[in-house]
Amino acid sequence: MSSKEYNLIKKDFQHVVLEGTEYEIGQQLGEILKKYSPETVKWFTSANIEPAKLGFKDFEDLQSFIEEYCPGITDEALGLADCFSTKPNELQVYNLPIPKQGNCSHFAVLSYVTDDRHTYVGRSYEYNQEFNDFRLCTVRIKGKAKHIGFMENLLGRDDGMNEHGLCVTFSGGGTFKKEPTKKGFPFFLIVRTLLDNLKTVAEALEHLRKMPVYGFWNFLITDKNGNAALAQFFDGEYGIKQINGDSSEQFLLCTNHYMLPEMVKYQKYAGDWILRNSKRRFELINETLSLAAPNISKEDLRELLSKELYDGVCGHYYTDYFGTLFSAIYDLTDLKVNVCFGAPTHNKWQKPFSLNNPIGAKRYPAILPNKSIKSDELW
C-alpha cells in the first residue's frame, strides 16, 4: 500500500531520564511535562476521584491500598502534584479502571535458543494514537531497581526491564464483552511495581499472586537467568505457565486471547475479529521462532516486529485500536533495549538505550500510517 492510501499521523515521542527519590522524580517529570506537554498536565490534573465508586471509604484509604502493593508511587504522585500546584486527589493516576484493552504481541526467548546466547523479550504495542504517553523513560530511584520502559498514565509502565535483568510486558486478554468486577490494580501499576522492586521471575510471580488485579491482562515475565512465565488474568482469576533451561519449550509468547488450559474458557468474551487476529498472530510468532531455533537472532526478532500483518505483527489500524505505537527488543543479557518509535514499517529502529543514559529529555518524531481495519482480510 502506498503512502497515499494511508492517513499519515505524526507524533512526537520522548526519551526522559529521571534520577533521585520518588518525590524528586515526580518533580523532575512534572517540569519536563510543563515545558514540553502542557496539554498532558491539563489532562492529568483534571481527575475527580470518587473513592467510593472504586471500592474505598475515602482517598486516604485508596492511597494506603496503592502504597501497600506499589510502595513509593504516592510519593512520586505528590512530587507531580506539588510541581503542578494541585492536589494528589486530582491526578488521573488514582483513576484505577482502564476502559479499553491493548491489542499487543510479546514473546520471550531464552538464551539456549539464540545465536548469541542472550535472553530477549520482544514486544509490539498496538493501540489508538490518542491514548498513550509516547514516552520511553529511564528511571533511577534511590533504593529501588533502575529500570527502562514505556510510560503509561505517567507513573505506570506498559513494559520495561530493570538492572537485575527482570523484564515485564503485558497485553490485553481480548475481552470486550464483560466489565471487571474485582477491586484491584490496572496493568500499568502492576508492571511498574514489579520493575521497581523485584529481581527474578520467582519473586515477581510471588508478588503477582498476592496483588489484586483489576481487569483482563496477560503478563509475560522474564529474567536474565533463563526463566520466563506467562500469567493470564480474568477478573481476579488467573493461570500461569513457566519455562526454564530444562523445559522442552525455550520461548513463550502471547497475543490477545486466553490459551492456558484453565483460562481458555474465557475466549467466549472476546470480540470475533480480535480473536481471529490474535490466533493468527500467535501462530505466526510461534512458527517464526520455531523455524529459527536454536539460533534465533536479534535480526529475526526485529524482522518479525517490523513486517506488516500477516507477514509480521505490525498493525496500521490506529483508529480501531490496533495500530503499532512502538516496538521494542529487550536484551536481558546486555541490559539494553532497541526501540522503534511508531510503526516499524515507516520508522527506523533507534540505537540501543541503556539504564545509564544522561538525565534529561530527547524528542523522537514518528509516523503512524493509519488505515481502516475493514481492509483486513479477516474482517
Side-chain angles (χ1 to χ4, degrees):
M1 181 174 283
S2 71
S3 60
K4 292 182 179 180
E5 297 176 81
Y6 290 108
N7 172 27
L8 298 179
I9 302 167
K10 295 182 179 180
K11 284 286 185 178
D12 283 344
F13 283 79
Q14 281 183 323
H15 177 219
V16 299
V17 183
L18 311 169
E19 184 174 274
T21 65
E22 283 97 344
Y23 181 83
E24 290 168 343
I25 279 178
Q27 289 194 311
Q28 290 171 27
L29 177 58
E31 292 297 337
I32 290 172
L33 293 168
K34 286 196 296 185
K35 181 177 180 180
Y36 295 105
S37 304
E39 71 285 352
T40 299
V41 177
K42 183 178 180 180
W43 170 79
F44 195 71
T45 57
S46 65
N48 180 22
I49 307 300
E50 297 184 60
K53 289 187 176 181
L54 299 174
F56 302 92
K57 62 182 181 181
D58 53 32
F59 184 68
E60 288 70 27
D61 186 31
L62 171 57
Q63 283 185 308
S64 297
F65 177 72
I66 291 177
E67 192 64 21
E68 178 182 356
Y69 294 97
C70 307
I73 291 292
T74 54
D75 283 344
E76 194 169 327
L78 180 60
L80 269 173
D82 286 350
C83 183
F84 296 154
S85 300
T86 191
K87 299 176 181 178
N89 62 2
E90 295 175 337
L91 300 181
Q92 291 287 358
V93 72
Y94 291 108
N95 265 336
L96 296 182
I98 297 295
K100 286 185 177 289
Q101 311 248 352
N103 299 310
C104 315
S105 303
H106 46 151
F107 45 86
V109 184
L110 302 188
S111 62
Y112 311 99
V113 290
T114 61
D115 63 347
D116 56 7
R117 296 305 179 251
H118 287 206
T119 296
Y120 291 106
V121 176
R123 78 105 79 251
S124 182
Y125 187 95
E126 279 72 37
Y127 205 54
N128 178 277
Q129 76 278 7
E130 299 297 332
F131 301 101
N132 191 262
D133 285 45
F134 295 96
R135 289 180 188 87
L136 176 69
C137 61
T138 300
V139 178
R140 300 188 285 265
I141 302 175
K142 293 180 180 178
K144 298 288 182 68
K146 295 184 291 186
H147 74 263
I148 184 170
F150 279 88
M151 279 187 180
E152 182 69 49
N153 216 352
L154 295 187
L155 277 68
R157 301 290 181 266
D158 289 323
D159 53 66
M161 172 184 66
N162 71 19
E163 64 179 296
H164 304 296
L166 179 70
C167 184
V168 186
T169 57
F170 99 98
S171 63
T175 300
F176 300 99
K177 299 179 181 178
K178 186 180 186 302
E179 289 294 322
T181 59
K182 304 293 184 181
K183 180 176 75 173
F185 290 89
F187 69 88
F188 57 85
L189 288 181
I190 295 169
V191 173
R192 173 67 190 273
T193 195
L194 297 181
L195 294 173
D196 273 346
N197 300 293
L198 303 172
K199 298 179 180 180
T200 67
V201 168
E203 291 177 354
L205 289 177
E206 182 180 0
H207 189 84
L208 199 54
R209 288 186 177 103
K210 298 176 182 176
M211 192 173 188
V213 176
Y214 175 92
F216 315 99
W217 313 112
N218 306 307
F219 297 99
L220 188 57
I221 308 167
T222 314
D223 66 37
K224 68 177 183 180
N225 301 317
N227 304 291
L230 171 64
Q232 296 194 303
F233 281 82
F234 181 94
D235 203 18
E237 298 185 40
Y238 64 86
I240 293 174
K241 177 179 180 178
Q242 299 183 62
I243 63 170
N244 56 38
D246 296 325
S247 304
S248 58
E249 299 176 59
Q250 289 296 294
F251 55 82
L252 271 182
L253 60 143
C254 189
T255 48
N256 305 115
H257 64 283
Y258 292 102
M259 23 75 71
L260 298 183
E262 61 269 56
M263 305 301 290
V264 119
K265 59 187 176 183
Y266 295 122
Q267 286 186 14
K268 65 182 180 181
Y269 293 107
D272 293 338
W273 182 86
I274 196 62
L275 184 59
R276 295 196 300 270
N277 174 287
S278 178
K279 287 183 175 181
R280 186 159 180 182
R281 280 181 287 126
F282 185 95
E283 292 167 359
L284 170 67
I285 298 169
N286 185 60
E287 180 180 3
T288 301
L289 296 179
S290 296
L291 289 173
N295 292 296
I296 300 170
S297 68
K298 183 185 286 189
E299 190 54 40
D300 291 329
L301 307 183
R302 193 194 318 266
E303 187 173 316
L304 178 59
L305 294 168
S306 298
K307 291 183 177 180
E308 186 179 358
L309 295 172
Y310 290 94
D311 295 317
V313 297
C314 180
H316 292 158
Y317 315 123
Y318 294 91
T319 307
D320 301 291
Y321 289 81
F322 198 89
T324 300
L325 298 182
F326 61 84
S327 301
I329 302 172
Y330 289 95
D331 184 337
L332 278 57
T333 305
D334 276 355
L335 298 182
K336 294 181 179 179
V337 55
N338 284 87
V339 170
C340 181
F341 300 110
T345 53
H346 288 67
N347 301 274
K348 68 178 182 179
W349 286 81
Q350 303 295 325
K351 294 180 180 178
F353 295 93
S354 78
L355 296 166
N356 301 310
N357 291 110
I359 293 174
K362 186 175 180 181
R363 171 179 165 269
Y364 294 86
I367 293 173
L368 311 179
N370 189 32
K371 65 179 181 179
S372 172
I373 206 169
K374 292 183 179 180
S375 65
D376 189 283
E377 61 188 89
L378 290 182
W379 172 258

